Amino acid sequence: MLQFITHPSERYSIVEEAQMAIEGGCRWIQLRMKDASDDEVRQVAMELIPLCKENDAFLIIDDRVQLVNELKVSGVHLGKEDMDPLEARELLGPHAIIGVTANTAEDIIRFKGKDVDYVGLGPVHFTTTKKKLAPELGYDGVKAVIDAVRAAGVELPVVAIGGLTEADVAPLMEAGVNGVAVSGAIINAPDPVEYTSDLLKILQK
């Protein structure tokens, strides 16, 4: 599975970014606007909601659980300092997608038996799209985390994140991830639609 994470860019609006990722075949968009106000996020989300519905794509919003609830989008991604996923589940109900951020095996094992749908594990590499960055894991680090998590009996889907490009997909799938989340590599590609399509081809191998 491929998640596209929006990021402010000089080339495209956030809606244009999402549209190109969807045209390339991505069906999972995370709206992340860290420094924006709720009103600004709401305005962009209102444009993305019909676009995602028309294309059977999931739309999740980073962090802002109240907005997810208000706009009835597919779900939320929660960072380590955001709302507790159990609280988010109570607020959003059983059908919402709830993702959480993790940097270590311990982080993920903590979620065993909690009502979480996926884990974003990273950063794999250095990334400029995130300000407070945990230590980079690299492929070996990702594999070690996944091996430990699976040994502990936790079967949560793991999505790798952090500075990923096309070249990372195959090694990360070999390391045991269930999917990847990509931001800058898609936005900065000469042809974002084609780049997204290429990523999905590798993921489906």
Side-chain angles (χ1 to χ4, degrees):
M1 51 186 168
L2 172 66
Q3 181 185 112
F4 170 66
I5 303 176
T6 70
H7 187 69
S9 104
E10 288 170 11
R11 294 173 72 193
Y12 309 111
S13 72
I14 282 177
V15 174
E16 285 169 337
E17 291 174 9
Q19 188 155 10
M20 290 186 290
I22 286 171
E23 272 180 46
C26 181
R27 292 295 174 262
W28 189 10
I29 307 294
Q30 181 189 145
L31 176 58
R32 183 162 81 187
M33 297 171 64
K34 276 293 181 203
D35 300 323
S37 68
D38 278 0
D39 277 343
E40 288 169 312
V41 176
R42 185 184 287 109
Q43 280 177 327
V44 174
M46 298 288 278
E47 288 187 69
L48 289 179
I49 288 166
L51 177 68
C52 288
K53 279 197 172 139
E54 280 161 29
N55 293 282
D56 288 330
F58 294 111
L59 175 63
I60 64 172
I61 296 178
D62 178 61
D63 176 12
R64 303 174 201 235
V65 178
Q66 299 294 350
L67 271 184
V68 170
N69 197 34
E70 173 197 325
L71 298 171
K72 301 289 180 255
V73 298
S74 302
V76 69
H77 184 89
L78 298 168
K80 291 179 111 175
E81 287 152 33
D82 298 336
M83 185 186 282
D84 182 280
L86 294 179
E87 268 183 74
R89 177 63 70 200
E90 277 182 31
L91 195 65
L92 299 177
H95 301 299
I97 297 168
I98 295 182
V100 291
T101 295
N103 312 111
T104 65
E106 291 73 26
D107 285 344
I108 301 176
I109 291 164
R110 265 190 321 121
F111 293 113
K112 186 176 184 179
K114 290 194 181 180
D115 202 351
V116 164
D117 295 292
Y118 76 94
V119 176
L121 175 64
V124 179
H125 305 306
F126 176 75
T127 171
T128 53
T129 62
K130 200 142 188 182
K131 284 180 182 158
K132 286 190 277 187
L133 208 60
E136 294 162 53
L137 290 166
Y139 304 144
D140 291 345
V142 169
K143 185 174 184 339
V145 168
I146 290 178
D147 288 351
V149 164
R150 299 303 181 227
V154 179
E155 294 302 326
L156 271 173
V158 174
V159 177
I161 187 168
L164 302 186
T165 69
E166 211 175 285
D168 295 307
V169 177
L172 284 168
M173 296 304 281
E174 277 171 36
V177 305
N178 303 94
V180 295
V182 180
S183 184
I186 288 176
I187 298 164
N188 298 322
D191 182 340
V193 176
E194 191 182 340
Y195 196 90
T196 305
S197 170
D198 289 346
L199 283 169
L200 284 161
K201 281 178 196 146
I202 304 167
L203 278 165
Q204 283 152 7
K205 274 181 185 169

